[in-house]
Amino acid sequence: MSEANDNIDEDAVEVLTLPLDAWHRDKGGRMVEFAGYWMPVQYEGIIAEHLWTRENAGLFDVSHMGQLLLSGEGLEAAVEAVLPIDLSTLKLGQQRYSLLLDEEGGVLDDLMVQRWPDKLYMVVNGATKWDDIGTLREALPDEVTINHLDEQALLALQGPKASAALERHAPGVSALTFMKLGHFTIAGHPATISRSGYTGEDGFEISIPAEAAAEVAGLLCGEPEVKPIGLGARDSLRLEAGLPLYGHDLGPDTSPIEAGLIFGINKRRRAEGGFPGAERIQRELAEGTARRWVGLALEGRQAAREGAEVYAGGELVGKLTSGGFSPSLNHPIATAYVASEFAAEGTAVEIDVRGKRLPARVVPMPFVPHRYHR
């Protein structure tokens, strides 16, 4: 995982710890710095953890993510002025993917929004949460209150056997469908659970009090279907699922239309505008974009990494944003922004890796089909 640095001197850098830090170390997690926190990159090995999650269920600690609860007078209109979301279509108990954009239509973050009674709950990326909070505080009126739920932990249980394992501790949770949520208890602790995740598998994201995190993680990993999974497999799973990673596939220099994230901008908002960057979004929807985010399948066994240049017939046409070996497909895959005329499925390209050109072709995403419970 490119953001993770496993060579950091723990004494030289101020890195924060998460509620499960001791639990990860006790389980044998190899800890690295990620988004300002010590987090496990792997336990028994990335490929083994990856395949276990595809076949069983993996427990991920994503407590570095930002959990925000917004409330107050005029909340709906105020949030719609900041996000390209249509809140009239977000019913109680539903979750929706959305985007925080700058005035030029660049992506400041991608996030999830949930409808709670009289409130909106958001999950934002860990590396951008402080900037996101600052942006929201500046953009929203004083009547809207933003509570940073920094005493909450967030766990993700992912995989085809996640529902069976979680149902034993949160009865009724298996009735949720994809992008729905409910409020449950696990071992007497309150838990807000959504059926969602970042691996392409069926699964759940579980918000619990920080003091309950070790007990809940232990209960879940006590189930025969569940093992703890590190950041390394989290990245390879999300890459196979064709899901963009902020800071790599998304950033202020990319627009949602280039990234194929039109589903993150609701139909009414595309037509009406009224959110940061709307002018660019509407122009790109009408006229297209000069480049597009695509999936690439590489020949051979050598993987290519972020930053590698993409060529077509000797012409530089793009650059990789993610790349690695796919344990499920048993060959290297990558994502890249390429000039739109080279974005069609089947287009042959070459990827430059330290002077060696690796043959590849444009393929549809996801690389591995999603298995959401709809």
Side-chain angles (χ1 to χ4, degrees):
M1 188 169 222
S2 54
E3 286 186 15
N5 184 344
D6 56 3
N7 295 314
I8 284 182
D9 178 353
E10 295 191 29
D11 296 328
V13 180
E14 182 181 359
V15 182
L16 303 175
T17 58
L18 291 169
L20 284 179
D21 187 87
W23 187 89
H24 292 307
R25 295 175 191 273
D26 183 61
K27 294 291 182 183
R30 179 183 167 201
M31 306 298 280
V32 300
E33 187 275 336
F34 181 79
Y37 296 93
W38 290 113
M39 297 183 70
V41 67
Q42 61 177 318
Y43 295 87
E44 59 181 294
I46 292 173
I47 291 178
E49 293 169 30
H50 180 113
L51 296 175
W52 178 270
T53 303
R54 287 271 183 251
E55 297 168 3
N56 297 282
L59 185 72
F60 302 78
D61 182 5
V62 289
S63 299
H64 65 301
M65 308 284 278
Q67 300 182 65
L68 312 178
L69 196 59
L70 280 64
S71 61
E73 184 180 351
L75 177 63
E76 306 273 320
V79 170
E80 283 201 358
V82 179
L83 304 180
I85 192 170
D86 181 355
L87 289 171
S88 70
T89 66
L90 183 66
K91 308 302 182 187
L92 187 65
Q94 292 183 340
Q95 176 169 279
R96 184 78 47 77
Y97 178 84
S98 192
L99 296 149
L100 187 61
L101 304 173
D102 64 23
E103 293 296 334
E104 286 70 46
V107 180
L108 296 176
D109 200 5
D110 60 340
L111 50 90
M112 290 291 185
V113 182
Q114 295 180 358
R115 168 81 71 184
W116 289 17
D118 302 320
K119 296 180 177 65
L120 294 172
Y121 164 93
M122 294 184 185
V123 179
V124 302
N125 275 297
T128 60
K129 64 185 174 186
W130 299 113
D131 288 340
D132 289 358
I133 291 170
T135 299
L136 290 170
R137 287 200 190 284
E138 185 173 344
L140 294 171
D142 293 341
E143 290 76 13
V144 173
T145 299
I146 304 172
N147 286 319
H148 180 201
L149 306 180
D150 54 357
E151 296 186 351
Q152 287 289 109
L154 191 64
L155 305 178
L157 186 65
Q158 300 283 292
K161 298 180 182 177
S163 180
L166 186 57
E167 177 71 23
R168 295 177 202 129
H169 301 281
V173 76
S174 59
L176 295 175
T177 55
F178 184 58
M179 298 296 268
K180 301 294 195 308
L181 64 110
H183 301 284
F184 300 83
T185 58
I186 301 178
H189 304 290
T192 301
I193 302 176
S194 62
R195 198 152 192 166
S196 56
Y198 204 53
T199 62
E201 292 293 335
D202 180 25
F204 303 86
E205 292 182 315
I206 307 162
S207 176
I208 48 176
E211 62 269 22
E215 181 181 0
V216 172
L219 285 173
L220 294 175
C221 287
E223 298 297 337
E225 304 95 336
V226 182
K227 288 184 178 181
I229 306 297
L231 291 168
R234 177 171 177 257
D235 193 48
S236 56
L237 288 159
R238 75 90 198 162
L239 177 57
E240 286 184 351
L243 300 172
L245 179 63
Y246 191 84
H248 300 261
D249 307 295
L250 299 175
D253 61 338
T254 59
S255 84
I257 310 306
E258 291 176 324
L261 298 177
I262 189 172
F263 66 88
I265 305 171
N266 291 114
K267 185 176 180 180
R268 174 175 68 81
R269 307 306 308 281
R270 293 175 215 159
E272 295 180 359
F275 55 87
E279 183 177 343
R280 176 183 177 181
I281 301 300
Q282 291 173 322
R283 183 179 68 252
E284 291 185 347
L285 285 170
E287 301 175 2
T289 59
R291 62 176 190 163
R292 290 168 52 190
W293 192 57
V294 299
L296 297 170
L298 282 70
E299 298 179 12
R301 304 287 292 177
Q302 185 174 352
R305 304 296 179 185
E306 179 185 2
E309 294 179 333
V310 182
Y311 290 83
E315 178 184 358
L316 177 62
V317 300
K319 185 175 288 188
L320 294 198
T321 50
S322 292
F325 192 83
S326 164
S328 300
L329 301 174
N330 201 33
H331 66 72
I333 57 176
T335 60
Y337 283 97
V338 300
S340 293
E341 56 267 40
F342 299 97
E345 182 181 342
T347 300
V349 297
E350 291 181 324
I351 301 172
D352 188 288
V353 178
R354 296 184 295 276
K356 180 181 178 181
R357 297 288 176 91
L358 305 179
R361 58 187 168 82
V362 177
V363 297
M365 290 193 282
F367 298 97
V368 173
H370 295 161
R371 297 198 289 186
Y372 302 136
H373 182 74
R374 298 186 184 278

